[in-house]
C-alpha cells in the first residue's frame, strides 16, 4: 500500500539551529509532493510543493525541500529556525492514479523551538 | 479570498448518537474532500467529491458514515451511530487544481 513515513515524531530545537525533517514515501510512479504546516490553534497550511522541474523547492518563511527520486525522499529544511516555527509539519504525497489528486499524509512531526 | 469554512468547530456526543458536520469550500473549487485525523496521526481521506459526484470513498466506513454534496457546493458528513473510535478531527478541504486548501476542522469527542 502507498504510505508516507516521517522519521521524527518530535523535534526540539533552540532558536537559530538548523532544521531537517525527513520524509520518505512508498510509490514507484510519478508523484506530487507537499509539506503542510499546522501552527497551534490554526488550520493546515501549504508550506511548499513539488510537481516537476528543479528538485530543490523553496517555500514560504525560508523553508525549502529537496526531492531525491532515487531515495523516494522529500526532506524539509530551514537553515535557522525561529520560535514562531513551532508547529506540526506534515509531509504528503499525491500518487498519479486515475487523474484524481488524493493526498496521503505522514503521521506528522511536532517541532518545538525554544528561545 | 475566503477560505474553507466548517461548522461546528467542536462537538461532544455520546456513543450511539448521530452527528453531522458541514463544509463550505472555496468558491469555484470543484473538488471537495473529507479527512479524518486521529490524535497522533496524519489526516486520512474518507471521501472525495468532484462537483456533486463521489470519485473515491474507499476508506469511508459506509455502515455508519455518509456524505453528500448537494448542488456541487456545500457538503455534509454524517456519522450514525457514533463509536468511541470516531473521536477525531474531521477536516474538509477543497481544490481547484493540484493543491488542496483545508478548513479549520471539527473536533469530535465521543464519550
Amino acid at each position: 500500500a502507498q504510505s508516507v513515513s516521517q522519521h521524527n515524531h518530535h523535534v526540539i530545537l533552540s532558536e537559530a539551529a538548523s532544521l531537517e525533517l525527513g520524509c520518505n514515501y512508498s510509490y514507484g510512479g510519478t508523484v506530487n509532493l507537499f509539506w503542510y504546516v499546522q501552527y497551534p490553534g490554526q488550520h493546515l497550511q501549504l508550506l511548499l510543493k513539488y510537481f516537476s522541474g528543479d528538485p530543490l523547492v523553496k517555500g514560504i518563511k525560508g523553508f525549502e525541500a529537496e526531492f531525491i527520486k532515487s531515495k523516494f525522499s522529500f526532506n524539509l529544511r530551514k537553515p535557522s529556525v525561529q520560535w514562531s516555527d513551532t508547529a506540526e509539519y506534515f509531509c504528503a504525497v499525491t500518487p498519479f492514479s486515475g487523474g484524481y489528486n488524493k493526498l496521503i499524509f505522514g503521521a506528522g512531526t511536532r517541532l518545538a523551538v525554544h528561545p | 479570498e475566503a477560505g474553507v469554512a466548517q461548522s461546528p468547530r467542536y462537538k461532544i456526543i455520546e456513543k450511539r448518537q448521530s452527528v453531522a458536520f458541514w463544509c463550505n469550500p472555496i468558491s469555484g473549487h470543484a473538488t471537495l474532500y473529507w479527512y479524518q485525523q486521529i490524535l497522533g496521526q496524519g489526516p486520512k481521506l474518507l471521501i472525495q467529491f468532484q462537483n456533486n459526484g463521489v470519485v473515491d470513498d474507499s476508506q469511508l466506513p459506509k455502515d455508519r458514515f455518509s456524505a453528500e454534496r448537494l448542488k456541487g457546493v456545500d457538503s455534509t458528513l454524517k456519522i450514525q451511530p457514533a463509536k468511541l473510535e470516531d473521536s477525531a478531527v474531521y477536516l474538509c478541504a477543497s481544490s481547484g487544481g493540484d493543491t488542496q486548501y483545508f478548513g479549520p476542522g471539527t473536533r469530535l469527542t465521543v464519550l
Side-chain angles (χ1 to χ4, degrees):
Chain A
Q2 300 151 358
S3 65
V4 177
S5 298
Q6 291 186 239
H7 310 307
N8 309 97
H9 293 293
H10 293 92
V11 173
I12 302 173
L13 295 173
S14 299
E15 275 193 319
S18 63
L19 170 72
E20 180 160 3
L21 301 182
C23 173
N24 286 91
Y25 62 93
S26 64
Y27 183 72
T30 303
V31 294
N32 288 345
L33 297 152
F34 304 81
W35 276 95
Y36 280 84
V37 60
Q38 188 166 25
Y39 298 104
Q42 298 187 27
H43 60 277
L44 276 167
Q45 302 170 38
L46 182 67
L47 198 56
L48 51 77
K49 60 187 178 183
Y50 172 81
F51 292 167
S52 63
D54 188 343
L56 185 61
V57 182
K58 294 193 184 299
I60 60 172
K61 302 185 181 185
F63 285 90
E64 64 179 29
E66 185 175 14
F67 170 51
I68 302 179
K69 188 174 182 179
S70 60
K71 295 185 177 180
F72 300 91
S73 70
F74 190 54
N75 292 353
L76 181 71
R77 299 195 292 249
K78 186 172 184 178
S80 176
V81 295
Q82 302 173 315
W83 175 79
S84 57
D85 293 325
T86 294
E88 189 156 20
Y89 294 81
F90 293 93
C91 180
V93 169
T94 296
F96 272 30
S97 58
Y100 298 112
N101 50 345
K102 168 182 175 176
L103 271 175
I104 300 170
F105 281 87
T109 298
R110 195 174 294 271
L111 171 67
V113 180
H114 295 295
Chain B
E1 65 180 5
V4 176
Q6 290 186 247
S7 68
R9 293 295 309 278
Y10 304 92
K11 190 74 177 179
I12 300 173
I13 61 173
E14 295 189 348
K15 60 183 179 184
R16 292 188 288 275
Q17 287 187 323
S18 62
V19 64
F21 313 127
W22 173 83
C23 173
N24 180 238
I26 292 172
S27 177
H29 281 190
T31 314
L32 185 148
Y33 311 80
W34 283 101
Y35 289 85
Q36 180 192 57
Q37 186 176 14
I38 293 172
L39 187 65
Q41 300 179 20
K44 182 187 79 173
L45 180 70
L46 292 175
I47 189 167
Q48 177 179 346
F49 292 94
Q50 184 75 14
N51 295 309
N52 59 351
V54 175
V55 297
D56 187 346
D57 63 357
S58 57
Q59 297 192 86
L60 187 74
K62 298 180 186 66
D63 58 333
R64 298 184 301 106
F65 286 64
S66 64
E68 60 182 9
R69 190 181 184 197
L70 299 176
K71 301 179 182 179
V73 182
D74 293 5
S75 177
T76 56
L77 176 70
K78 298 179 182 177
I79 308 174
Q80 183 177 16
K83 292 185 175 181
L84 297 177
E85 58 261 35
D86 298 332
S87 293
V89 176
Y90 290 85
L91 297 168
C92 180
S94 71
S95 171
D98 292 314
T99 300
Q100 295 182 31
Y101 298 89
F102 285 81
T106 297
R107 184 176 298 276
L108 173 67
T109 301
V110 183
L111 303 176

